[in-house]
Amino acid sequence: EAGVTQSPTHLIKTRGQQATLRCSPISGHTSVYWYQQALGLGLQFLLWYDEGEERNRGNFPPRFSGRQFPNYSSELNVNALELEDSALYLCAASRGGVDEQFFGPGTRLTVL
Amino acid sequence: ILNVEQSPQSLHVQEGDSTNFTCSFPSSNFYALHWYRWETAKSPEALFVMTLNGDEKKKGRISATLNTKEGYSYLYIKGSQPEDSATYLCAFSWVGTGGFKTIFGAGTRLFVKA
């Protein structure tokens, strides 16, 4: 069974641009979570999607947004990129509720 | 602001030593407590999910306990091996407006020397 996949692996953007990150969950996993790990910091919860709807978001500005598609894959969009958005972005998937989350390999975003 | 504290920040042990880490979290609106192992250059891997006060989970040489009333969880590793070297993350899920949220601690970085 394929695990959670993310693309791209690395992404380099300049300040002010927009970035789109993608995540495909494991088959049967309807919940997708997005996390940010900035250098020197722990994992910060960004967004949670379940059954196509945004269920909750962390303390991030509105320029961080996303969506979940009918096949449960998800996109994270970051608009008006700032230097401090440079981080590892991890996507995780679960069957929902308190089920364990399975993490993807991450996308390393660098903003120059 | 809800916060999850993990201690120690890092730990160096010899192969064969037993060790334990602490995760402290708010005791209100508890939903679940998760432990993950995060090896360098890999994705975090779930170890345990605990939901009930007094829960104890065990997987091989690793075990965990949960006290939701006082807001802490312990992770124990018996007879540490070099392959146990990783960052151990705990994550606290609570019920708030709009559903549940999850917050991660900063992790405990374990180094096991052969």
Side-chain angles (χ1 to χ4, degrees), chain B residues 39-73:
Chain B
E39 294 180 65
T40 303
K42 294 185 179 180
S43 307
E45 172 195 355
L47 288 172
F48 307 113
V49 176
M50 294 183 285
T51 56
L52 298 174
N53 184 44
D55 256 357
E56 292 187 21
K57 299 274 186 171
K58 187 174 164 58
K59 186 185 284 189
R61 296 179 290 101
I62 304 177
S63 60
T65 61
L66 177 67
N67 184 321
T68 61
K69 294 185 178 180
E70 295 182 39
Y72 65 83
S73 174

Side-chain angles (χ1 to χ4, degrees), chain A residues 32 34 45-58 60-62 64-68 74-76, chain B residues 98-99:
Chain A
V32 171
W34 286 96
F45 167 69
L46 262 166
L47 289 159
W48 168 35
Y49 291 96
D50 183 62
E51 297 286 355
E53 294 196 13
E54 181 179 304
R55 300 296 184 181
N56 229 323
R57 65 181 294 126
F60 282 83
F64 286 84
S65 65
R67 53 181 172 165
Q68 186 178 35
S74 177
E75 267 183 8
L76 173 70

Side-chain angles (χ1 to χ4, degrees), chain B:
Chain B
I1 296 176
L2 296 177
N3 201 24
V4 173
E5 300 281 346
Q6 287 191 248
S7 62
Q9 199 169 41
S10 66
L11 193 57
H12 293 251
V13 302
Q14 291 290 130
E15 182 176 358
D17 287 350
S18 292
T19 186
N20 65 85
F21 326 131
T22 304
C23 173
S24 301
F25 52 87
S27 54
S28 58
N29 299 325
F30 177 85
Y31 191 71
L33 193 286
H34 310 249
W35 281 100
Y36 291 85
R37 178 169 65 195
W38 195 358
E39 294 180 65
T40 303
K42 294 185 179 180
S43 307
E45 172 195 355
L47 288 172
F48 307 113
V49 176
M50 294 183 285
T51 56
L52 298 174
N53 184 44
D55 256 357
E56 292 187 21
K57 299 274 186 171
K58 187 174 164 58
K59 186 185 284 189
R61 296 179 290 101
I62 304 177
S63 60
T65 61
L66 177 67
N67 184 321
T68 61
K69 294 185 178 180
E70 295 182 39
Y72 65 83
S73 174
Y74 294 136
L75 186 80
Y76 301 92
I77 301 179
K78 186 177 177 182
S80 302
Q81 300 297 308
E83 57 264 31
D84 295 329
S85 297
T87 297
Y88 290 83
L89 298 169
C90 76
F92 163 68
S93 296
W94 78 96
V95 181
T97 52
F100 77 87
K101 291 190 181 185
T102 298
I103 183 171
F104 278 79
T108 292
R109 185 80 191 272
L110 174 67
F111 300 89
V112 182
K113 188 174 179 183

Side-chain angles (χ1 to χ4, degrees), chain A residues 2 15 21-22 24 38 48 57 59 63 65 80 87 93 97 100 106:
Chain A
R15 204 166 45 178
L21 287 62
R22 296 180 178 83
S24 291
W48 168 35
R57 65 181 294 126
N59 294 323
R63 55 191 188 80
S65 65
E100 65 180 293

